[in-house]
Amino acid sequence: AQTADNHVGIAIALLLAGGILALMPPVWGVPLAAYASVGLILVGGITGLPWLVGVVLDRVAPLVARRALPLLAVERARRVRGSAAVAVSGVVASLSLAVALTVMVASFRTSVTQWLDTVLPADLYVRSANSTSTQDTAYFEPSFVQAAARLPGVQRLTTQRNQQFLPDPSQPAVALIARPLVAQVGSIGLPLVGESLPVPAGQIGIYVSEAMVDLHNARLGSTYPALSEHFKAIAPVGYEHKAIFFIAAVWRDYARQFGTIAMEQADFERLSGDTRVNDLSIWVAPGANTRAVEQSLRQLADTQADTPGGEAGRLMDFGSASEIRAT
């Protein structure tokens, strides 16, 4: 009992210290004080448990003084208070781990949900092919895009060009995405991490995913020469201008683990001379049937394809925002 009483002061000090640390601000964006606060509160609670057990059971003991079995249980707990702390320590550790995992999963689920809200603004998404390998050789020509925008049920349409390039032979290929980014970056276009930087005059702004920072040292505010070499290799014949790419922002990309670079589609077309696209984002008109729009796009692809037999339409891959979100 005397030992338990001696630990009361330590327990109170730990709990007070944990409460104070819980009010401290983050350090470099990391809540270090909050982590320490949780640890101190747990240890303080366990340390003060023998004293608390004694206080409670001292009041319970007179009530069971005439009953042998309850009396034996209460007296044992009163005189071996330390065993209660040992037992509860295991329970606290297990519960803490379960809570930590629950918080982690819930936090990641919330992050992915917010990310999907940003990257899936349209109603229907169309790819030129249903596999990555085929997509590298199957494209939507500008004439197809213009005709698709005039189809019944299509309210608005935007395009995207996906391309792979290898900045580092020791690393997997990086995804290069060219899409309209004007008036979209930071709102419905890309889920940025922090603020974007102004692009210096004479340079081209690009937006890299977090994996690019980790795997390819693509730092915010620096230039990225590897992309300059890529466009130098694919530039039209006679094109001599050397593009300088400036990393204007970092964004979250949960779909591609090896790195992604997003750039303005107009810059991609100017530097490469290639106006073809891989993906379409379609906003369906109110009251229109999404399946009917899909069928119209397949028929349009079959009509404009060089090869008969409906192969072009069957190669196309469709996905609604709700289907992609569910997956």
Side-chain angles (χ1 to χ4, degrees):
Q2 185 65 34
T3 303
D5 294 338
N6 293 337
H7 289 169
V8 174
I10 299 176
I12 294 175
L14 290 173
L15 293 173
L16 290 176
I20 294 173
L21 287 176
L23 304 176
M24 301 297 291
V27 179
W28 298 302
V30 181
L32 297 177
Y35 297 146
S37 171
V38 172
L40 290 177
I41 290 174
L42 290 176
V43 175
I46 294 173
T47 303
L49 186 61
W51 171 82
L52 181 61
V53 168
V55 171
V56 172
L57 294 184
D58 285 346
R59 286 160 176 75
V60 173
L63 302 178
V64 296
R66 296 181 179 275
R67 298 181 181 181
L69 188 59
L71 177 61
L72 289 174
V74 169
E75 290 301 322
R76 181 185 183 281
R78 289 177 67 192
R79 287 163 173 72
V80 193
R81 302 177 188 180
S83 61
V86 174
V88 172
S89 297
V91 175
V92 168
S94 301
L95 181 61
S96 300
L97 180 59
V99 171
L101 289 173
T102 302
V103 171
M104 181 184 67
V105 172
S107 174
F108 183 70
R109 183 180 181 87
T110 301
S111 299
V112 173
T113 300
Q114 294 173 348
W115 178 75
L116 288 172
D117 291 340
T118 303
V119 300
L120 296 177
D123 302 309
L124 181 65
Y125 294 88
V126 188
R127 286 184 173 179
S128 57
N130 51 20
S131 67
T132 304
S133 58
T134 309
Q135 193 177 21
D136 291 338
T137 57
Y139 304 98
F140 296 127
E141 297 289 346
S143 58
F144 176 87
V145 175
Q146 295 170 5
R150 296 191 296 267
L151 289 175
V154 176
Q155 184 180 42
R156 185 160 67 93
L157 181 151
T158 61
T159 60
Q160 179 173 295
R161 175 62 186 273
N162 301 317
Q163 193 178 77
Q164 301 285 323
F165 85 102
L166 196 64
D168 184 353
S170 64
Q171 297 283 353
V174 168
L176 175 62
I177 295 177
R179 58 183 294 184
L181 292 174
V182 176
Q184 288 192 8
V185 173
S187 55
I188 65 171
L190 296 172
L192 299 184
V193 180
E195 300 293 331
S196 61
L197 301 177
V199 180
Q203 299 184 17
I204 299 173
I206 60 173
Y207 307 88
V208 302
S209 67
E210 294 171 306
M212 289 296 300
V213 179
D214 298 332
L215 300 177
H216 298 278
N217 198 32
R219 300 297 176 185
L220 178 65
S222 63
T223 59
Y224 194 61
L227 192 56
S228 302
E229 295 300 321
H230 174 71
F231 275 98
K232 183 179 179 181
I234 66 173
V237 177
Y239 189 85
E240 298 180 353
H241 177 71
K242 182 176 177 60
I244 301 176
F245 294 94
F246 176 81
I247 301 175
V250 179
W251 59 289
R252 294 185 179 92
D253 184 13
Y254 295 135
R256 306 167 188 86
Q257 62 179 329
F258 298 120
T260 312
I261 299 176
M263 64 179 296
E264 182 63 48
Q265 192 168 13
D267 292 329
F268 176 89
E269 294 176 353
R270 176 174 56 85
L271 295 173
S272 66
D274 191 349
T275 58
R276 301 171 299 176
V277 297
N278 308 94
D279 293 357
L280 303 178
S281 301
I282 298 176
W283 283 259
V284 178
N289 186 282
T290 302
R291 296 301 179 187
V293 174
E294 292 182 16
Q295 186 61 31
S296 298
L297 287 167
R298 292 189 190 275
Q299 293 174 354
L300 178 63
D302 293 339
T303 302
Q304 294 195 356
D306 296 331
T307 57
E311 291 295 334
R314 285 202 296 266
L315 284 175
M316 295 169 64
D317 187 27
F318 292 85
S320 67
S322 60
E323 291 173 344
I324 298 172
R325 181 184 296 272
T327 301

